[in-house]
Amino acid sequence: MKLIEGVKTKALKVIPDERGWLMEMLRNDDDIFQKFGQVYLTVAYPGIVKGWHYHKVQTDHFVCVKGMMKVVLYDGRDDSPTKGEVNEFFLGEKNPTLVVIPPFVLHGMKGIGTEPALLINTPTEVYNYKDPDEFRVHPHDNDIPYDWSRKDG
C-alpha cells in the first residue's frame, strides 16, 4: 500500500516474560516523535464506525492496545501528491502498530471482532474545549471513496 503523504507507521515490539508483557508505543527519541500534547483512550464497540474527522494543527499517533480496529485514512488535501489516496490499517493485538496521522488527513475507525477495541492516541496538542481542532464529516454520507462495510471472501 502506498502511504498517504505524511503518514508513517512504526511496528511495535512486544516484550513478553513470565510476568506478562511490555510494549513501548512512542518515545521522544523516535524519529516520528514531534511533541507531546496529551494521551487519551477511545473505545469502539464491535461494528461501530467512529469518524470521519480531521485536525488542522494536531498530529495523531494511534495504537490499538486491546481487540482489533480498522483505521482508515483519506487524503483530501488539494496540495498533496497523494490526494485521493485511501489507507486502510488493521491495528490491534494481532498487529501491534503505531500509525501517525498528519493534519488535514481525514480519518476514522471501526471496531472489528467480537469485543470492544481500545485505542490509545498521543496527539501533539491538548484538546481545546472552547475551540476544538476537530472537523467532522458524516461517516457514511460524504464524498470519501470508502465503504465501511465488512469485506467477505
Side-chain angles (χ1 to χ4, degrees), residues 15-79:
I15 305 166
D17 66 23
E18 63 189 48
R19 300 167 297 165
W21 55 274
L22 175 139
M23 180 178 69
E24 291 181 344
M25 294 183 282
L26 183 63
R27 299 167 46 107
N28 70 2
D29 59 355
D30 282 339
D31 63 345
I32 59 174
F33 180 79
Q34 296 174 44
K35 70 178 193 172
F36 174 79
Q38 67 180 48
V39 176
Y40 69 83
L41 168 72
T42 186
V43 177
Y45 293 128
I48 299 299
V49 174
K50 297 176 84 173
W52 298 90
H53 71 275
Y54 67 94
H55 311 285
K56 292 182 178 179
V57 177
Q58 173 175 305
T59 296
D60 286 331
H61 300 86
F62 280 12
V63 177
C64 182
V65 296
K66 180 73 175 157
M68 289 295 294
M69 188 174 281
K70 178 167 63 171
V71 173
V72 183
L73 315 180
Y74 173 68
D75 189 355
R77 301 171 294 178
D78 288 330
D79 61 346

